[in-house]
Amino acid sequence: NAGVTQTPKFRVLKTGQSMTLLCAQDMNHEYMYWYRQDPGMGLRLIHYSVGEGTTAKGEVPDGYNVSRLKKQNFLLGLESAAPSQTSVYFCASRPRRGGMETQYFGPGTRLLVL
Amino acid sequence: RKEVEQDPGPFNVPEGATVAFNCTYSNSASQSFFWYRQDCRKEPKLLMSVYSSGNEDGRFTAQLNRASQYISLLIRDSKLSDSATYLCVVILLTGGGNKLTFGTGTQLKVEL
């Protein structure tokens, strides 16, 4: 099993460009999450999904959109990137029957917006 | 006041030393507590849960003090491989589901 994978690992964008980050998991988990991690701040939840076809806003959703068309994939979109979105993005997944602490994290995507 | 606060460090300790980290949380209704480990440029990984009675896993001991609203992590006989950032995580049960809050992390550097 690959666990949780993220694509790409690193990306540089110019302000105003758009991109999609892909998260894939092969553990048949129902719940999936997108976080961002910035210096001096803890991981913050952007959006999450409790199942295929459902998404919900987290703590810092502005400027991002998500989609969960397939159970194994959770996409994070930036429609018009801003320098404030420079961050490390982590995806996570967990089974429905399990506490929040049972999340498995992906390796992260480093995004630089110039 | 931040919901979860940690001393960012770094804590520089010699190999074999004992080191302790604290983490404070602001919401007394918080339900569950954990320590995660994050290596440089890697994802966070669950290290251990924290219980009021205290729990131990090898060289690691975690403790919860609900009255003072802090959790602690003690590492005995530090190894070079313990060098990492340790994240405190607090879970609050809300009407909208569980809210998981990460601390900013405490950096540990174990040196020869």
Side-chain angles (χ1 to χ4, degrees):
Chain A
N1 287 350
V4 180
T5 58
Q6 292 183 230
T7 309
K9 288 184 170 54
F10 179 70
R11 183 77 183 268
V12 178
L13 286 181
K14 293 181 180 179
T15 296
Q17 287 185 315
S18 64
M19 77 164 295
T20 300
L21 283 67
L22 171 64
C23 175
Q25 53 94 4
D26 61 2
M27 297 173 284
N28 203 35
H29 286 171
E30 290 82 7
Y31 292 4
M32 296 187 75
Y33 306 84
W34 275 109
Y35 293 90
R36 59 177 290 173
Q37 185 175 35
D38 303 293
M41 306 190 77
L43 274 78
R44 292 180 293 167
L45 182 64
I46 305 171
H47 285 279
Y48 65 98
S49 168
V50 299
E52 184 178 326
T54 70
T55 63
K57 294 180 180 180
E59 183 184 352
V60 288
D62 294 342
Y64 305 95
N65 57 73
V66 288
S67 64
R68 183 100 181 267
L69 299 179
K70 293 182 179 180
K71 186 178 184 179
Q72 63 268 34
N73 296 338
F74 195 27
L75 278 64
L76 178 71
L78 285 73
E79 292 184 348
S80 180
S84 61
Q85 294 178 304
T86 292
S87 188
V88 181
Y89 292 85
F90 287 102
C91 174
S93 72
R94 73 172 178 93
R96 180 181 294 122
R97 290 189 178 185
M100 293 287 286
E101 75 280 8
T102 62
Q103 293 183 64
Y104 288 80
F105 284 88
T109 294
R110 295 181 176 276
L111 176 64
L112 175 62
V113 183
L114 301 174
Chain B
R1 181 182 175 189
K2 285 186 179 179
E3 292 182 61
V4 176
E5 291 200 71
Q6 294 183 253
D7 182 342
F11 283 59
N12 297 304
V13 303
E15 202 174 15
T18 295
V19 60
F21 312 132
N22 280 344
C23 166
T24 59
Y25 59 96
S26 61
N27 194 324
S28 60
S30 298
Q31 301 275 344
S32 306
F33 309 87
F34 305 91
W35 284 102
Y36 277 68
R37 171 190 169 127
Q38 186 173 23
D39 293 299
C40 187
R41 304 177 80 84
K42 299 287 188 180
E43 71 273 23
K45 292 184 179 178
L46 179 65
L47 179 65
M48 59 196 304
S49 304
V50 188
Y51 306 114
S52 296
S53 56
N55 50 305
E56 189 174 306
D57 182 2
R59 298 180 293 108
F60 297 81
T61 300
Q63 191 79 45
L64 165 65
N65 185 317
R66 284 194 180 272
S68 300
Q69 294 181 209
Y70 77 84
I71 68 173
S72 62
L73 178 67
L74 180 77
I75 305 175
R76 291 180 298 278
D77 189 23
S78 300
K79 310 292 184 189
L80 293 175
S81 57
D82 293 334
S83 296
T85 296
Y86 292 84
L87 309 177
C88 163
V89 177
V90 174
I91 295 179
L92 177 67
L93 183 60
T94 70
N98 291 338
K99 181 183 177 186
L100 187 149
T101 303
F102 285 82
T104 55
T106 297
Q107 188 179 11
L108 171 65
K109 296 181 179 180
V110 182
E111 303 162 333
L112 287 172

